[in-house]
Amino acid sequence: MTEQTDTLPAPLLPAVELRVPTHEDAFAWHRLFDDPEVMEFFGGSSAELSMYEELTARQRRHDAELGYCLWTMLDAAGEPIGFTGAQPWPRTWGPVGEIEIGWRLGRAAWGKGYATAAAEATVKRVRAAGVPSVVAMIDTGNERSIAVARRLGMELAESFTTPPRVPGVESSRRTSHCFRLAL
């Protein structure tokens, strides 16, 4: 008999392509994220198309100026399935001044390894761009994203309470974990 170990082979991750978002990707992101389950940790409801048009335009600027952005994630067939990437933390609370990595996928792409594969590619790209460290802000209830952060080797550094999502309604505050990774 041979002795069994707890070491399992690394899972085979799917092929994923990352591209700078096009104007057309705003429509794809809007369609992919128009789902209460996808938006559960991002306010619970979908955003207007104009928000995605502004977001994709901002990401094109980030790519041109910084060498990284939130890239459109494409599956093996070349179809958009979400985004992943990095950008300066955009809020006045939380890890101000740091570079945040993140990912969001349409529900049809969940549970297939795309988020981990794309997040690993993101880490490589931002490291190549000279970024010394990154953070990931993740709602404490978002177990899937917490698992991706841990697979990347990120460590829980601190937690933040968000401002109220509904102005004046204190119960609409959420707690987010800030994971960190030195590159």
Side-chain angles (χ1 to χ4, degrees):
M1 281 174 67
T2 60
E3 185 177 321
Q4 256 187 319
T5 66
D6 290 336
T7 305
L8 299 173
L12 185 60
L13 296 175
V16 64
E17 180 184 344
L18 305 180
R19 74 169 179 219
V20 176
T22 65
H23 176 72
E24 291 76 22
D25 287 335
F27 298 93
W29 290 6
H30 182 257
R31 178 181 44 79
L32 289 166
F33 307 146
D34 188 19
D35 180 327
E37 285 188 67
V38 171
M39 298 305 292
E40 177 182 2
F41 303 108
F42 304 98
S45 60
S46 60
E48 296 293 323
L49 174 61
S50 60
M51 191 283 300
Y52 291 108
E53 290 173 319
E54 188 281 326
L55 180 60
T56 55
R58 183 171 4 116
Q59 297 314 310
R60 289 189 293 276
R61 279 193 314 277
H62 284 330
D63 184 71
E65 296 170 2
L66 304 172
Y68 53 85
C69 65
L70 295 178
W71 295 286
T72 295
M73 194 184 318
L74 305 171
D75 65 12
E79 293 298 318
I81 57 173
F83 66 67
T84 188
Q87 65 178 352
W89 176 250
R91 295 172 179 83
T92 57
W93 59 272
V96 176
E98 301 206 47
I99 304 303
E100 179 196 29
I101 63 171
W103 44 88
R104 187 181 311 166
L105 286 79
R107 192 164 18 130
W110 290 3
K112 298 178 181 177
Y114 287 116
T116 300
E120 287 177 355
T122 293
V123 168
K124 288 178 186 172
R125 287 184 179 200
V126 295
R127 182 181 290 127
V131 174
S133 64
V134 292
V135 298
M137 287 291 289
I138 303 172
D139 187 286
T140 57
N142 191 341
E143 294 176 13
R144 292 180 303 270
S145 283
I146 289 170
V148 171
R150 292 189 192 280
R151 282 185 210 109
L152 294 175
M154 300 186 88
E155 295 184 7
L156 178 59
E158 57 192 313
S159 295
F160 293 95
T161 300
T162 69
R165 291 189 179 188
V166 179
V169 179
E170 289 300 307
S171 62
S172 68
R173 291 178 181 270
R174 302 286 300 204
T175 302
S176 292
H177 288 319
C178 180
F179 288 85
R180 293 188 191 284
L181 179 66
L183 303 177

